[in-house]
Amino acid sequence: MTATSAALTPPADAVAPTRHPDAPAPGEPLGSHYGHCFGCGDGQPHGLHLDARAGDGVTVTAEFTVTADHQGAPGLAHGGVLATALDETLGSLNWLLRVIAVTGRLETDFRRPVPVGTVLHLQAEVTAVHGRKIYSTATGRIGGPDGPVAVRADAMFVEVKVDHFIDNGRPEEIRAAMADPDQIRRARAFEVNP
């Protein structure tokens, strides 16, 4: 395992994460935060269709099946797709804190190949919070939730306001998301990566 860079080491005065009282209960599916998200959306035919569930504390579990559309080398998952699966799972943690946050830094270690047809079992947890910075870690295992680690990542997310997306996103998608009458779906559209 590779050592985490200093940028991903929480400072000494960081605090333990606190699960928001309105966070989904352990075991509840988190669902797609946005239908067109490549990681979790159902509107992306070649997306990951990641299925994430709330865990205990500030943890989530997720699964995604590697398809032929996700391969890099013949018969193996593309490393960028695996990093995306980790990033999406880590981003889902922010729903348990009930904050809008974007990836500030992501470091990924690739431990073993992940063949097409494999179900990747992902686990992630928030380890510390310092101001607007949220520190977290994740693993992706093959062969089951307790199988060997194939990929892992450490990340630092940065809490932002919804204006981050309004000011930087394509106006037509932002307007459509903001016009959604379902307040929870509208809020969730802006919960993770830009």
Side-chain angles (χ1 to χ4, degrees):
M1 206 173 318
T2 304
T4 299
S5 74
L8 292 176
T9 302
D13 60 342
V15 298
T18 303
R19 183 188 187 101
H20 193 279
D22 295 330
E28 276 191 40
L30 297 180
S32 169
H33 73 90
Y34 180 59
H36 294 287
C37 174
F38 180 78
C40 66
D42 57 6
Q44 292 288 342
H46 303 296
L48 304 185
H49 304 275
L50 194 96
D51 179 27
R53 293 184 176 274
D56 293 324
V58 189
T59 67
V60 297
T61 60
E63 292 182 358
F64 107 91
T65 302
V66 178
T67 71
D69 293 322
H70 304 136
Q71 65 189 314
L76 297 173
H78 189 287
V81 168
L82 297 175
T84 300
L86 288 162
D87 186 46
E88 186 71 26
T89 304
L90 289 157
S92 295
L93 290 164
N94 297 315
W95 183 238
L96 302 179
L97 299 172
R98 297 298 290 264
V99 299
I100 300 170
V102 296
T103 309
R105 186 172 185 97
L106 177 72
E107 290 185 15
T108 306
D109 297 315
F110 300 93
R111 305 288 303 277
R112 62 181 65 226
V114 179
V116 169
T118 298
V119 175
L120 190 65
H121 300 268
L122 299 136
Q123 299 171 319
E125 70 174 312
V126 175
T127 57
V129 176
H130 186 259
R132 294 176 45 224
K133 294 180 180 179
I134 301 161
Y135 297 87
S136 52
T137 188
T139 57
R141 298 173 181 269
I142 57 176
D146 297 318
V149 173
V151 293
R152 63 166 307 283
D154 292 310
M156 186 266 296
F157 280 74
V158 179
E159 186 176 349
V160 297
K161 302 295 182 201
V162 75
D163 291 350
H164 168 85
F165 299 94
I166 293 169
D167 294 344
N168 297 293
R170 283 189 356 170
E172 54 271 26
E173 278 93 355
I174 297 299
R175 278 193 299 275
M178 295 296 282
D180 192 324
D182 183 324
Q183 288 189 15
I184 291 178
R185 238 184 13 227
R186 182 172 58 231
R188 290 211 56 207
F190 301 102
E191 78 178 5
V192 294
N193 310 335

